Amino acid sequence: MAASSDTALETTPSVESIVESAGDQMLVGAASRSVLPTVDGTTNYLGESAGYYQVDPFDPVVFVAAFDQGQVDVGNGDSDAAWVHDDLRATAVAFQSGESMVVMVGVDLYMVFAADAAEIEARARTLLPAHWRDAADIIISATHNHEGPDSAFSINDDWYDHAADEIAAAIGEAVSYLEPATLHVASDEHRFGVSDGRDPIVIDPSLRVMTAVGDETGDALATIVQWASHPETTLGFAQEFGHDITADCAAKGWAMDDCTAEGRYFTSDYPGVMRDVVRSEIGGEVLYLNGAIGSQIGPGEAPVWVVDDSHPVGNGWTVPDGAVPVAGAADFTDENFATAEAIGTQLGLHVLQLASSVTPVASTGSSGQIEWREQSFFTRLTNIGFRVLLADGDLGWQLPMAYSCPRPFDEETCVSDDGAFVDDPVLTPLVGSQIRVGDVLRTRIVHVRIGDVGFMFLPGELPPELVIGLPADWATDSDQYYVAADEQHARGDDYRTPGYLLDLVDEPTTFVVGLGGDELGYWVPLNEVKMRCAADILGPEGGCAAAFEAGLIDFVDGVSGTQCRTIEDVPALLGAADPALAQIALDSCRYGQALGRELGEPPGHYEETNSAGWDLVDDTWAAAVQLFGRDGSGSINPNNPGYTLYNPPPSR
């Protein structure tokens, strides 16, 4: 059976006998739990009114004066959340075939870092049957929901402790509900409500669906959905312009300009809507796994309209003649809760369509149908801002491991810094913070194969071109993929990735999961990286222009990742330069990413400030090549048609 109970975990006594008698037969169990902060020990305050199916598209729905855990901030919003629009869930799906056991978990949260996932996993194992406790593989992913409790930078430890227990309980329940099941899979493309916010414009519209149906009952146990878009539809949306929150503000002591619901509510965004649509029709649990959402795949400038028989989704981008915006929206790109409802509803209906036309997952013919492989790798924290956050305790819930390593990075050369901090000659006097001693992190790629279907878990926000490849017409017409004016991007042959990840797998269907077990921010190809020139804040005045004229930085206002890699690998290149100008180049490479947050990133280069390092693309590719045992055929994918099926927006 599948469960959504938020009561205490109850182990089904018969699970041991079911597992023992199943042999290599596929067993599946699923469960979900709420990860919302509580009031009086429960989430009953939601009642029946919470959710997206409200008359008022501006209504944040349930006002909460105080949570049991105290002040809980919003992931990419404001401090002190005071409203709950709808539930936030942790959904777990457990698989067993023979001696192979895997649990996949998706949580409606902003981020789940590897160290935090490890703590949740440890708690979950204490709830598992003995034969699962040591042998099972568990992977925990965030949907990257920007409108849930902050799980990255401003964490309420009491809430996270509670949420960790709930996620662990969902894992335990999923395993306790194992039963014989048949798996099916289907794939299509879905483009309604998604756009790309950074040149070049490349989107992975793949929609992948796996269903698990109980063999004895014929009931849906779980539906696994993978699509790619940031859950941030209402990010920056100010509901008070359409809904009276005066009384709520008075209860919180907020007056005048401080009386706002902007960034102060919790919602699961479109994944929660999709989940409700699917569950209301076929039942079971719905696990949403986000895909390649880097650089910036999300609702952004995507047009959204009221879909009906006369105004269908069509290609997802072209607004049908006579269509109208959703309720309360001023135009097709305006945002409110009705926008998120429309995106999630159409996604859910497409999932249901695929769920009715799925094909059986084929067995691999081996003993057991589940295979887990992983490849860990080290990558440098070139973004010193991450090291400041680590030193301040403002990055995640648990303290992560960091390392000091000479190249090449490996198990032999990398040594833990044991959590030590040190003064930085620039940032410590400037912002009053130390930095983490270690400047290298360890992360991993995980590949799970269930029958002839793969799941590739990737530790962050990868650009689609690193996953599906550049479009087939890139070599002949790459200019069409650049729509923004006055932004300096690598173009044409100068924009390169080492290959594309789906070129390395050999299964017919691969679910691609971003933020799969970790989150290191955005992956930006090295030759596309641009960072702020440090002299803009550190001086001397005019230093950036002088360093540029001397050829030490390659933009008058910044430096590229390629130049910084060169300086790092061959320091002697600066030996003959004017020492003051050489220092500008060194400082720009060391501080340029972090200073973007203070000074503003170079236009079109926001993602670098939120990336752990400029080596992420190359390091990930090297790990993938090692994991799959082969290199790719190049960065252009002959099977990626680009925009032959729809038109991108004309400009930003």
Side-chain angles (χ1 to χ4, degrees):
M1 64 179 291
S4 301
S5 170
D6 292 329
T7 58
L9 175 63
E10 298 177 1
T11 302
T12 303
S14 61
V15 68
E16 296 280 359
S17 60
I18 291 174
V19 168
E20 290 176 0
S21 63
D24 288 343
Q25 183 178 10
M26 182 63 67
L27 303 178
V28 178
S32 72
R33 309 270 295 197
S34 177
V35 293
L36 284 170
T38 59
V39 175
D40 296 330
T42 76
T43 58
N44 291 343
Y45 60 83
L46 285 176
E48 297 181 357
S49 61
Y52 271 92
Y53 301 98
Q54 307 297 320
V55 175
D56 187 346
F58 297 90
D59 186 358
V61 187
V62 178
F63 172 69
V64 179
F67 294 108
D68 293 339
Q69 293 79 22
Q71 178 177 313
V72 184
D73 298 340
V74 179
N76 199 198
D78 208 339
S79 60
D80 199 4
W83 292 270
V84 178
H85 185 274
D86 53 280
D87 202 3
L88 306 176
R89 308 293 293 181
T91 303
V93 180
F95 300 86
Q96 177 167 356
S97 178
E99 297 301 313
S100 299
M101 293 160 273
V102 169
V103 185
M104 302 179 190
V105 184
V107 192
D108 291 331
L109 294 179
Y110 194 26
M111 305 174 190
V112 177
F113 295 104
D116 302 337
E119 170 62 22
I120 297 168
E121 179 181 331
R123 296 186 184 195
R125 290 188 185 278
T126 67
L127 305 175
L128 299 180
H131 63 286
W132 268 76
R133 193 167 299 142
D134 298 323
D137 291 301
I138 300 172
I139 187 82
I140 301 170
S141 305
T143 65
H144 201 38
N145 176 29
H146 285 49
E147 300 141 329
D150 196 335
S151 56
F153 306 115
S154 178
I155 293 174
N156 177 309
D157 289 336
D158 290 340
W159 163 77
Y160 211 131
D161 184 71
H162 163 74
D165 284 343
E166 293 300 306
I167 300 168
I171 294 170
E173 287 180 345
V175 172
S176 74
Y177 296 135
L178 286 168
E179 62 179 275
T182 299
L183 303 178
H184 295 80
V185 68
S187 300
D188 202 354
E189 295 185 348
H190 186 81
R191 295 184 174 90
F192 184 72
V194 63
S195 66
D196 187 351
R198 173 173 173 148
D199 285 346
I201 307 297
V202 180
I203 294 172
D204 180 7
S206 302
L207 173 59
R208 302 176 177 98
V209 176
M210 175 183 277
T211 62
V213 177
D215 289 343
E216 296 181 2
T217 64
D219 293 338
L221 304 179
T223 302
I224 302 176
V225 179
Q226 185 262 298
W227 191 52
S229 182
H230 273 74
E232 58 179 25
T233 308
T234 60
L235 192 65
F237 161 55
Q239 300 89 332
E240 61 269 19
F241 295 119
H243 184 78
D244 186 3
I245 59 170
T246 304
D248 297 344
C249 287
K252 295 290 289 186
W254 296 335
M256 306 297 289
D257 292 343
D258 201 32
C259 182
T260 176
E262 181 177 340
R264 282 174 166 162
Y265 58 86
F266 296 141
T267 174
S268 58
D269 208 278
Y270 74 83
V273 180
M274 179 276 297
R275 183 169 56 221
D276 289 346
V277 169
V278 174
R279 291 191 65 189
S280 66
E281 182 67 23
I282 63 176
E285 297 291 353
V286 179
L287 170 62
Y288 181 71
L289 302 172
N290 223 324
I293 60 172
S295 306
Q296 292 242 7
I297 308 303
E301 296 183 354
V304 176
W305 59 92
V306 175
V307 175
D308 55 31
D309 291 342
S310 300
H311 310 94
V313 167
N315 62 22
W317 266 98
T318 304
V319 180
D321 291 340
V324 297
V326 298
D331 55 42
F332 293 113
T333 59
D334 199 10
E335 58 187 27
N336 60 39
F337 291 121
T339 313
E341 179 185 350
I343 294 172
T345 296
Q346 295 310 312
L347 180 62
L349 293 175
H350 201 162
V351 169
L352 289 172
Q353 177 188 348
L354 291 180
S356 67
S357 60
V358 290
T359 58
V361 172
S363 171
T364 58
S366 59
S367 177
Q369 303 176 58
I370 302 173
E371 179 187 25
W372 171 288
R373 296 185 295 168
E374 65 177 83
Q375 181 62 54
S376 64
F377 64 97
F378 295 94
T379 191
R380 188 178 296 282
L381 277 172
T382 66
N383 190 341
I384 201 169
F386 275 58
R387 295 170 67 189
V388 171
L389 291 170
L390 287 172
D392 288 345
D394 291 335
L395 193 65
W397 178 42
Q398 303 291 312
L399 183 69
M401 295 280 285
Y403 301 85
S404 297
C405 315
R407 291 190 182 275
F409 301 160
D410 56 37
E411 299 286 350
E412 299 297 324
T413 62
C414 288
V415 179
S416 171
D417 68 357
D418 294 324
F421 312 136
V422 66
D423 286 348
D424 179 82
V426 171
L427 294 182
T428 299
L430 187 67
V431 299
S433 294
Q434 293 184 301
I435 63 171
R436 187 73 176 261
V437 169
D439 64 348
V440 174
L441 291 182
R442 184 178 183 177
T443 189
R444 64 177 177 170
I445 300 172
V446 171
H447 181 256
V448 180
R449 188 156 181 166
I450 300 178
D452 63 347
V453 176
F455 293 80
M456 189 189 303
F457 292 88
L458 303 164
E461 300 168 61
L462 280 76
E465 50 267 40
L466 183 59
V467 174
I468 62 171
L470 292 166
D473 59 355
W474 183 266
T476 58
D477 193 14
S478 61
D479 284 347
Q480 67 177 307
Y481 299 99
Y482 294 83
V483 301
D486 302 323
E487 294 182 359
Q488 291 172 312
H489 292 286
R491 300 178 69 96
D493 291 340
D494 291 332
Y495 185 87
R496 297 186 301 275
T497 65
Y500 59 100
L501 293 169
L502 289 183
D503 194 25
L504 305 181
V505 300
D506 58 6
E507 63 256 1
T509 304
T510 305
F511 287 60
V512 177
V513 187
L515 290 90
D518 204 357
E519 163 65 319
L520 298 184
Y522 289 101
W523 268 236
V524 180
L526 180 69
N527 56 322
E528 164 65 359
V529 169
K530 180 183 178 184
M531 299 165 290
R532 190 69 181 252
C533 173
D536 283 340
I537 188 170
L538 303 179
E541 185 176 350
C544 292
F548 173 70
E549 288 295 328
L552 300 180
I553 61 175
D554 37 4
F555 300 99
V556 71
D557 62 341
V559 62
S560 70
T562 302
Q563 180 71 353
C564 287
R565 170 80 69 79
T566 301
I567 292 171
E568 178 185 295
D569 291 346
V570 191
L573 291 176
L574 296 178
D578 178 286
L581 299 183
Q583 191 62 48
I584 290 173
L586 290 169
D587 286 347
S588 297
C589 292
R590 181 173 174 84
Y591 302 111
Q593 285 179 274
L595 291 180
R597 189 175 301 277
E598 300 299 323
L599 297 178
E601 302 85 4
H605 290 269
Y606 157 83
E607 291 77 16
E608 285 87 328
T609 300
N610 295 274
S611 172
W614 61 63
D615 292 326
L616 280 171
V617 167
D618 291 342
D619 290 344
T620 301
W621 180 256
V625 167
Q626 187 173 357
L627 176 64
F628 294 108
R630 56 181 171 178
D631 209 333
S633 58
S635 60
I636 296 178
N637 180 358
N639 298 312
N640 180 358
Y643 290 108
T644 58
L645 298 181
Y646 67 102
N647 298 316
S651 65
R652 279 200 297 277

